[in-house]
């Protein structure tokens, strides 16, 4: 901290700065848009109450404040010291650095790949620099990753207090300011700090604040010390003597220095503990002072920011929102309405948070008008949060009544439907697009725009006819986003004008499908994963189709004046829509879409040019549809590729099309010799000049023919030079940098090993080659007992990470998949060496490379090594090894005599996974549970896991999903029944877990499409077996669920009842989704009540839950029949089986929701008319005249005259507050009237009851002398003042005039 002298400079740490001297720029941080952290208060150290920073996003880390500006001292209040950073902050910094270095690495690899096409001599120097940069990035990534792992581990350790708490807290603490010319050492200062208690320091600071007439930085420095004390001793503020402390706060808040006032707000904010402390603070008349600070001009921004932070601290306290007075709240509303105020965004966000927690308070203060205007303007950076707050209100009927109409959010569509409103405003277009997407992705939003038959959506689609390219492009993006359409890999080429036939190859589509889809084999238990987002997408697609999406897209496709890219984008969307409609929608909705009526209508009857254009676009749409269909068809054959884990191997991924694997196997001798010559291996010793793509084709194709292989071995030096390239002691392959481009050398090496193993000639050649002998010798350098040593081992840590040396393990992995390859291991003693590699405690990277590349299909020593790594290594290696078992445990079962059974390698993997369930580290057991759960999708695998009799009691909730899987078979049911698990779990779900399940299912106003698949439900798994259905019948739980649904379906407000109702709905839906469980639906009319909830409930999210539950019921054949009886139709596949997506025949029945806004008298607000407040009659004529003129300032027509009569100023611009002097005024004739505290209180009450613009508020409050405010704040005996200060916010005030 600084000294008391004026020349002292505060160190860069958290705290308010001393005031700037005259002549310096005094701008504050308010030019940065603020942000807020999470709510909640605690005694532990945390973010300052009410803090906000630069983005309007919620931070998961402690709030550290606003961003840096050009003045470092102003940043001190918002930035923590370096040594005070939390673990989350350090982890985020490390991740940011890793991302940065990763981008540098990718860029360097791409540049190296581009340099290969240049002349080697010309690009040599540039290549050297790029390779050096790439090596540096690789090293930094390794170091940062290690640091991040250490930080994560450190954050999980329990924090124990130091032995000497006082010494640890006050170590290098600046609690006591150093005196001038004091030469004492830091150790003496620390010892002095230890000798003083926190209470003594607090008393010393408060006593220092009693001094009057000191410089402002004197008080700021003491205030910063006081805040630091509260941070280090959070419990200290619970023992404050408020009569003394409050007087010091009042004195600071009444100071004429803006910095001292800001420091006073900051100290008071950090002294807040609970609602009672807020009430004590309000009795200090802080409402008056906050109102005065907030209305000040921009030059007092540091004071205004701290005042707003002080108000926001009320939100962090339980019940604190009820302590915000209407006077303060209406002042915040005025700031939010003032377009040029720097605190407008943070004021808007404050109103949003209050709107969600206490809507009556915000609506009564007139805050809805400012929020709606902010949404309409599109300038607020958090437009989605604006929409989310209003959607929260629309969910329940009582909250819905606070909205004036159901059209508030239609303002987002205005930018597109009115081409003049958003002309050339890209930011406004994008902000409105994000709001529309948020609306369509939530149930309340969908109901909110459903009025007049979704007129808003129809208008949006009709806006595709406007000539605005930006608007049309964004509308197509909106449709893609709400339908959850992911652009295929070939979309960019298609939009650029290239033909689809070039990019629609089956090989590429298979690769893409394997990366994006998750198909399910027919041998799996039950149906595929229940993706409720698909059901919701089907509903959105039906709405869009009925609103004219097909017609709008067809017009864009046919429009000749439109840009080619836009037309192709519309054609691509049209094809995606047709494909999605065929897959998701019932035939009743999709039958007429496939004939393209708009495009084919009139073809042949119009002009030749028009007909040709329509035919061309129809062909493009057809090409897109066929390509998408082939992509989905290819995905059904990629299950093995999907379930295969991503191991940390080097260069094992394919870099070319799979069709190259089937190159000309029977290539004749002439062509083969010509191809060998073209590879340049025989011409150049420099491997950089070799044609590696051609080499790869030869290895994958002709060399698999024994005749061609023999010719390559004996007739030419092709194979000798190629295999010699990989010999370790030639340092060619092993010295090559590990880059993306150089991975092709590893791919060729792996293919060469597999090719040589396919013939006896190749095995003999490999058996006698120097390659394996030298590789075994290099591996022996890792074994301290082998006798082989080297100053620079080939498999050193640096070489395996920076060069292709680690690729040798990929080559060994190819050998490990063949019994004869394992014999080569034994010949060169690699088996013994591998055991020693597993024992290396300081080379986890080498252990991962070895295990990750080996093939454990064969029963060999490699399995023993993996078992050893699973049990005897550190936690990191155990987790890595456990993940390796996924590849083998999730293999499809084999079929023998019509019966399915897991393969031997699968059984081996399952046994090891069951062993891992008892690992002392929970993380290892959790990974094992996840893999076993994936493996149990097959009945044969599940029965084998049950026969292993795993014990999962010690894992608690971690093992619950696996136990639920056991219920799917009779064998598993009997096993769990003997453990008495089923009855206990059933009681647990019936009494509480059923309601807890609701929070993990999509039933709230949050975006539906961002949620994962529906989690497993106990009653769904129970009804898979006959024994489970009998137990459910005996328990009577289903009847109780049905009774609850029937009795409480009309509930609208009771949160507990709504939660229980949703839990019963999910239980009934999961039971009815199974064929055995669907029989319970016949015994009750519960489906009728669920349909009634979906069509008549006044709670939007309750309707959404019922909608999803009906989709679950429609998955069973019997449930689909019952759904049909209630005029709902279900989407089916080609075989007539339900896929679980059902819709009402008339979509309008699903969206018929009532909306009745509260009348004005119930809100306690004024009508929509702009009326002036009543003229309050007063005994004194002068006061009455003043009050009348203040009343007139509300009316924009009378503002100028009222301002002139009051203070001799004429308002030329009410928005900017420009004033012109006028000689005659009421204040100049009767100045004594404006020194009356009684008149001030009446004016203040008027400001708290009506909405005045911010400049008007400033003008009215500036009329009174500062002595009046001081009198009001310090006069504690005035009963009238006390009653005003302790009033609660009026819940139903009259609304602001329009």
């Amino acid at each position: 901290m600084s000294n008391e002298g004026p020349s002292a400079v505060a160190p860069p740490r958290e705290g308010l700065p001393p005031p700037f001297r005259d002549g310096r720029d005094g701008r504050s941080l308010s030019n940065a848009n603020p942000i807020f952290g999470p709510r909640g208060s605690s005694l532990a150290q945390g973010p300052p109450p009410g803090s906000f920073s630069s983005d309007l996003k919620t931070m998961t880390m402690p709030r550290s404040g606003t961003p840096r500006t050009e003045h470092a001292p102003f940043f001190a209040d918002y930035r923590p010291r370096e040594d005070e950073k939390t673990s989350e902050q350090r982890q985020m910094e490390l991740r940011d650095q890793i991302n940065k270095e990763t981008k540098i690495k990718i860029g360097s690899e791409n540049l190296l790949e581009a340099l290969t096409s240049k002349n080697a001599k010309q690009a040599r120097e540039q290549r050297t620099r790029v390779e050096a940069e790439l090596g540096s990035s690789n090293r930094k990534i390794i170091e940062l990753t290690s640091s991040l792992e250490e930080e994560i581990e450190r954050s999980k350790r329990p924090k124990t207090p130091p032995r000497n708490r006082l010494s640890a807290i006050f170590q290098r603490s600046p609690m006591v300011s150093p005196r001038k010319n004091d030469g004492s050492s830091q150790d003496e200062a620390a010892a002095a700090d230890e000798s003083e208690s926190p209470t003594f320091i607090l008393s010393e600071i408060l006593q220092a604040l009693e001094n009057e007439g000191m410089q402002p930085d004197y008080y700021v420095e003491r205030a910063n010390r006081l805040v630091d004390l509260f941070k280090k001793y959070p419990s200290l503020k619970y023992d404050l003597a408020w009569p003394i402390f409050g007087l010091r706060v009042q004195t600071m808040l009444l100071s004429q220095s803006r910095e001292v006032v800001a420091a006073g707000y900051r100290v008071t904010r950090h002294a807040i503990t609970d609602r009672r402390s807020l009430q004590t603070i309000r009795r200090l008349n802080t409402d008056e002072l906050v109102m005065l600070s907030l209305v000040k001009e921009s030059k007092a921004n540091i004071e205004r920011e701290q005042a707003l932070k002080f108000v926001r601290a009320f939100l962090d306290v339980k019940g604190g929102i009820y302590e915000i007075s209407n006077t303060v709240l209406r002042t915040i509303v005025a700031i939010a309405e003032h377009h040029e105020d720097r605190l407008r965004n943070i004021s808007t966000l404050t109103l949003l948070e209050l709107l969600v927690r206490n809507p009556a308070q915000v609506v009564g203060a007139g805050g809805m008008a400012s929020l709606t205007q902010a949404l309409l303007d599109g300038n607020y950076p958090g437009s989605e949060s604006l929409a989310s707050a209003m959607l929260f209100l629309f969910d329940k009927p009582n909250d819905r009544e606070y909205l004036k109409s159901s059209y508030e959010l239609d303002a987002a569509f205005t930018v597109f439907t009115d081409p003049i409103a958003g002309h050339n405003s890209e930011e406004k277009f994008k902000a409105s697009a994000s709001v529309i997407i948020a609306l369509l992705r939530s149930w309340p939003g969908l109901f909110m725009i459903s009025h007049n038959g979704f007129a808003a959506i129809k208008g949006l689609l009709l806006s595709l006819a406007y000539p605005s390219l930006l608007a049309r492009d964004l509308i197509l993006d909106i449709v893609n986003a709400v339908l959850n359409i992911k652009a295929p890999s070939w979309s960019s080429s298609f939009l650029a004008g290239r033909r689809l036939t070039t990019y629609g190859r089956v090989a590429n589509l298979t690769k893409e499908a394997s990366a994006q889809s998750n198909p399910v084999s027919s041998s799996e238990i039950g149906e595929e994963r229940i993706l409720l987002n698909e059901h919701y997408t089907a509903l959105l697609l039906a709405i869009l189709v009925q609103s004219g999406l097909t017609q709008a897209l067809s017009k864009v496709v046919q429009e000749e004046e439109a840009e080619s890219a836009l037309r192709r984008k519309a054609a691509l969307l049209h094809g995606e829509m047709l494909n999605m409609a065929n897959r998701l929608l019932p035939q009743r909705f999709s039958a007429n879409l496939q004939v393209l009526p708009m495009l084919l209508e009139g073809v042949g009857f119009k002009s030749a040019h028009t007909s040709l254009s329509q035919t061309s676009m129809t062909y493009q749409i057809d090409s897109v549809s066929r390509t998408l269909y082939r992509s989905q068809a290819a995905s059904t054959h990629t299950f093995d590729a999907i379930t295969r884990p991503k191991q940390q191997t080097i260069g094992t991924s394919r870099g070319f099309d799979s069709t190259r694997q089937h190159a000309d196997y029977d290539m004749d001798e002439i062509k083969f010799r010509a191809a060998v010559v073209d590879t340049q291996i025989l011409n150049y010793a420099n491997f950089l000049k070799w044609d590696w793509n051609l080499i790869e084709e030869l290895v994958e194709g002709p060399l698999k023919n024994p005749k061609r292989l023999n010719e390559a071995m004996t007739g030419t030096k092709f194979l000798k030079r190629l295999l010699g390239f990989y010999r370790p002691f030639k340092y060619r392959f092993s010295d090559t940098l590990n880059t993306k481009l150089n991975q092709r050398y590893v791919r060729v090496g792996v293919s060469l090993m597999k090719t040589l193993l396919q013939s006896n000639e190749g095995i003999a050649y490999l058996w006698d080659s120097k390659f394996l002998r030298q590789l075994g010798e290099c591996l022996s350098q890792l074994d301290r007992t082998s006798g082989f040593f080297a100053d620079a081992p080939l498999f050193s840590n640096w070489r395996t990470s920076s060069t292709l040396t680690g690729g040798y393990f990929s080559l060994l992995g190819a050998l490990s998949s063949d019994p004869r390859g394992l014999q080569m291991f034994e010949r060169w003693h690699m088996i013994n060496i591998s055991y020693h590699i597993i024992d290396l405690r300081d080379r986890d990277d080498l252990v991962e490379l070895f295990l990750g590349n080996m093939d454990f299909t064969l029963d060999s020593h490699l399995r023993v090594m993996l078992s050893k790594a699973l049990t005897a290594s550190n936690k990191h290696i155990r987790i890595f090894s456990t993940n390796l078992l996924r590849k083998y445990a999730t293999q499809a079962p084999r079929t023998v005599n019509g019966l399915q059974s897991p393969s031997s390698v699968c059984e081996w993997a399952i046994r090891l996974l069951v062993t891992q369930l008892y690992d002392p580290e929970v993380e290892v057991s959790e990974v094992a549970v996840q893999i076993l759960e994936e493996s149990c999708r097959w009945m044969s695998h599940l029965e084998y896991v049950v026969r292993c009799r795993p014990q999962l009691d010690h894992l608690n909730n971690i093992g619950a999903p696996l136990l639920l899987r056991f219920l799917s078979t009779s064998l598993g049911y009997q096993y769990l029944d003997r453990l008495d698990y089923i009855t206990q779990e059933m009681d647990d779900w019936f009494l509480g877990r059923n309601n807890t399940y609701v929070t993990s299912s999509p039933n709230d106003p949050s975006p539906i499409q961002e949620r994962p698949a529906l989690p497993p439900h106990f009653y769904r798994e129970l009804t898979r077996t006959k024994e489970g259905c009998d137990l459910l019948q005996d328990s009577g739980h289903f009847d109780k669920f049905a009774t609850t649904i029937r009795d409480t379906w009309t509930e609208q407000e009771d949160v507990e009842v709504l939660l229980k109702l949703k839990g019963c709905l999910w239980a009934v839906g999961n039971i009815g989704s199974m064929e055995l469980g669907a029989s319970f639906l016949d015994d009750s009319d519960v489906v009728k009540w669920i349909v009634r909830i979906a069509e008549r409930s006044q709670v939007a999210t309750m309707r959404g839950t019922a909608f999803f539950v009906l989709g679950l019921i429609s998955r069973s054949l019997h449930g689909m029949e019952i759904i049909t009886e209630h005029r709902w139709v279900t989407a089916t596949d080609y075989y007539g089986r339900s896929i679980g997506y059902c819709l009402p025949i008339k979509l309008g029945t699903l969206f018929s929701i009532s909306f009745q806004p509260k009348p004005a008298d119930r809100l306690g607000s004024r009508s929509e008319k702009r009326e002036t407040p009543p003229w309050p009659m007063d005994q004194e004529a002068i006061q009455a005249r003043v009050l009348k003129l203040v009343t007139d300032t509300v009316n924009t027509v009378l503002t100028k005259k009222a301002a002139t009569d009051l203070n001799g100023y004429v308002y030329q611009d009410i928005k900017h507050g420009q004033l012109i002097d006028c000689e005659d005024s009421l204040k100049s004739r009767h100045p004594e009237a404006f020194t009356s505290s009684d008149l001030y209180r009446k004016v203040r009450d008027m400001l708290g009851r009506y909405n005045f613009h911010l400049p008007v508020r400033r003008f009215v409050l500036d009329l009174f002398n500062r002595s009046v405010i001081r009198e009001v704040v310090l006069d504690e005996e005035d009963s009238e003042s006390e009653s005003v200060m302790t009033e609660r916010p009026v819940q139903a005030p009259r609304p602001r005039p329009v």
Side-chain angles (χ1 to χ4, degrees), residues 761-772:
E761 293 83 357
I763 294 173
Y765 186 84
L766 192 59
W767 185 275
D768 297 329
S769 68
K770 297 180 181 179
F771 166 70
L772 290 178

Side-chain angles (χ1 to χ4, degrees), residues 693-822:
N693 291 330
L694 181 57
I695 295 173
E696 195 169 9
E697 291 184 12
L698 291 178
V699 172
E700 288 286 342
L703 288 182
K704 292 183 178 180
N705 189 333
K707 185 182 296 184
R708 301 281 83 83
L709 179 62
N710 184 58
E711 182 179 349
M713 289 187 298
T714 59
T716 67
K717 294 184 178 180
F718 173 80
L719 197 60
K720 178 181 178 182
R721 290 190 176 182
L722 181 58
L723 191 60
F725 166 74
Y726 292 97
R727 283 166 55 183
F729 291 156
K730 283 198 173 184
Y731 295 104
R732 304 173 74 186
F733 174 79
S734 57
D735 275 1
T736 305
L737 291 179
N738 182 14
T739 64
K740 180 180 179 182
L741 178 63
N742 293 340
Q743 295 299 312
R744 57 183 178 176
Y745 306 140
V746 184
R747 292 195 299 267
V748 174
V750 172
S751 300
L752 181 61
M753 295 297 108
K754 293 181 179 179
T755 299
L756 292 176
L757 288 174
Q758 291 182 7
S759 63
N760 294 328
E761 293 83 357
I763 294 173
Y765 186 84
L766 192 59
W767 185 275
D768 297 329
S769 68
K770 297 180 181 179
F771 166 70
L772 290 178
R773 179 170 60 84
Q774 292 182 6
L775 187 57
E777 183 178 342
C778 293
L779 288 173
S780 299
Q781 297 172 2
L782 301 172
D783 184 6
R784 299 181 178 88
T785 62
S786 63
F788 290 92
F789 300 97
D791 295 335
L794 184 71
F795 291 98
S796 63
N797 195 349
W798 178 85
R799 294 183 68 90
T800 54
S801 61
S802 302
T803 66
L804 292 182
T805 303
Y808 282 119
F809 291 100
S810 298
L811 275 62
L812 293 177
L815 295 177
S816 66
S817 61
D818 190 275
R820 289 166 294 188
L822 293 175

Side-chain angles (χ1 to χ4, degrees), residues 413 416-417 454-464 466 475 547:
F413 294 86
F416 295 96
T417 56
F454 291 96
I457 296 180
K458 292 179 180 178
L460 179 68
L461 296 177
L462 290 175
S463 300
L464 283 171
Y466 289 141
I475 292 174
S547 299

Side-chain angles (χ1 to χ4, degrees), residues 380-396:
Y380 180 67
S383 54
E384 293 184 13
S385 61
L386 274 172
S388 300
M390 295 186 183
L391 294 179
F392 181 84
L393 292 184
F394 194 84
D395 184 29
K396 296 180 181 179

Side-chain angles (χ1 to χ4, degrees), residues 486-494 503 508-509 511-513 516:
K486 297 181 179 179
S489 60
W490 42 265
S491 61
S492 58
S493 301
F494 173 74
Y503 302 93
N508 291 340
L509 295 176
K511 182 179 179 181
E512 178 185 336
Q516 296 183 358

